[in-house]
Amino acid sequence: MIKLNNIVKVYNPKKANEFEALHKVSAEIQDGELVAIIGRSGAGKSTLLHILACIDSYQDGEYSIDGTLIKNLSERQYAKIRNEKIGMVMQDFALVEDLTALENVMIPLNFSKKKIKGKKEKALAALRSAGIEELAKKPCNKLSGGQKQRVAIARAIVNEPSMILADEPTGALDTKTSAEIMELFKTLNEQGRTVVIVTHDMNVAEQCGRVIEIIDGRIAGS
Ligand SMILES: Nc1ncnc2c1ncn2[C@@H]1O[C@H](COP(=O)(O)OP(=O)(O)OP(=O)(O)O)[C@@H](O)[C@H]1O
Ligand SMILES: [Mg+2]
């Protein structure tokens, strides 16, 4: 379970351009939930998602995953949590364009400190879960937007994280492809993973079990 308690995020603290992007944000996400985070541009959605993903820090409050407080950890401990618990689907896919789909999905496995048996098989299984095993050997610069998004999702799930976080995963896709990607997230959720999706798209939000709205760095209604 994820627990945020009065999280404060300040960009450029104590500088002239100091900006408080999150003001005492509290929220809980239970295991197995499918949650949308919505809000206007600049509201703080990506900021919140980056904190959830343990790739950004916060100044005040508490964030815990499964009871572990995510603060002042060593770089190694952060890496371990990211590797074991979190699969992140970045905005704009963030793939290495001239590597193949399979090579992209293998990247997190090669990062991992522990020896992973059958890396290629694991990556192929992730591609299969994302519905594109047959594209394994294609370079990513030859794939469509929807196919790239599936590679990004395969890469996010290859370490079998308990939680998938996605930043605007349908933002760059046409309506039909968006619907297909949303079906994939729903399937991954039904298989037991917690899924958190930042979105502008009300169609996407409506398909989630719960919607958290952020207005100017605050959770709406709190
Ligand atoms: N690195 C940064 N330094 C300073 N301010 C930042 C930084 N990143 C974000 N901000 C500011 O924090 C606020 C929240 O940004 P954030 O990226 O979380 O918004 P968002 O809700 O994801 O917006 P969008 O829908 O446009 O992606 C914005 O006002 C933004 O300008
Ligand atoms: Mg954003």
Side-chain angles (χ1 to χ4, degrees):
M1 186 181 85
I2 285 182
K3 218 169 170 174
L4 296 161
N5 186 21
N6 287 324
I7 293 288
V8 174
K9 171 68 189 180
V10 182
Y11 286 111
N12 310 311
K14 299 196 175 109
K15 299 212 177 101
N17 58 349
E18 175 176 294
F19 182 78
E20 192 167 308
L22 297 177
H23 317 277
K24 298 200 171 183
V25 165
S26 298
E28 281 186 18
I29 298 174
Q30 309 293 332
D31 291 345
E33 271 200 280
L34 172 57
V35 177
I37 298 177
I38 64 163
R40 297 173 71 146
S41 184
K45 304 180 298 297
S46 296
T47 302
L48 181 60
L49 201 71
H50 292 165
I51 290 173
L52 291 177
C54 305
I55 53 179
D56 205 354
S57 60
Y58 53 95
Q59 277 67 30
D60 202 7
E62 288 181 341
Y63 169 37
S64 65
I65 304 178
D66 301 334
T68 303
L69 186 63
I70 311 297
K71 193 161 208 175
N72 303 327
L73 301 178
S74 67
E75 206 30 68
R76 216 177 130 171
Q77 287 169 314
Y78 275 114
K80 186 168 188 285
I81 286 181
R82 281 196 296 262
N83 235 317
E84 289 177 1
K85 306 263 184 191
I86 296 158
M88 179 79 178
V89 180
M90 302 293 259
Q91 213 163 356
D92 306 327
F93 324 126
L95 299 172
V96 184
E97 287 281 323
D98 50 3
L99 293 184
T100 66
L102 182 67
E103 286 163 343
N104 268 281
V105 175
M106 286 181 71
I107 290 172
L109 298 174
N110 294 330
F111 261 122
S112 177
K113 282 257 189 330
K114 52 180 188 208
K115 271 220 165 108
I116 297 172
K117 264 202 228 156
K119 286 185 183 178
K120 193 174 162 193
E121 286 66 32
K122 268 188 134 203
L124 283 170
L127 284 166
R128 198 177 313 131
S129 296
I132 46 162
E133 194 183 9
E134 73 283 1
L135 298 177
K137 291 197 172 132
K138 261 210 163 183
C140 285
N141 54 27
K142 299 245 164 65
L143 300 177
S144 71
Q147 290 168 338
K148 284 183 189 179
Q149 192 58 283
R150 287 177 187 273
V151 177
I153 293 169
R155 187 180 54 185
I157 62 175
V158 72
N159 269 322
E160 295 168 40
S162 46
M163 172 161 84
I164 302 170
L165 306 173
D167 201 349
E168 296 280 2
T170 64
L173 306 176
D174 62 73
T175 314
K176 179 170 171 278
T177 313
S178 292
E180 289 166 4
I181 292 296
M182 200 49 209
E183 280 311 313
L184 174 55
F185 279 116
K186 285 199 273 185
T187 304
L188 296 171
N189 173 249
E190 280 155 16
Q191 291 166 349
R193 299 173 185 86
T194 309
V195 178
V196 180
I197 301 176
V198 163
T199 186
H200 271 108
D201 185 342
M202 284 318 290
N203 236 326
V204 168
E206 277 167 9
Q207 295 179 64
C208 295
R210 187 156 65 96
V211 176
I212 296 175
E213 186 181 6
I214 307 189
I215 302 173
D216 294 337
R218 292 183 169 81
I219 304 269
S222 69

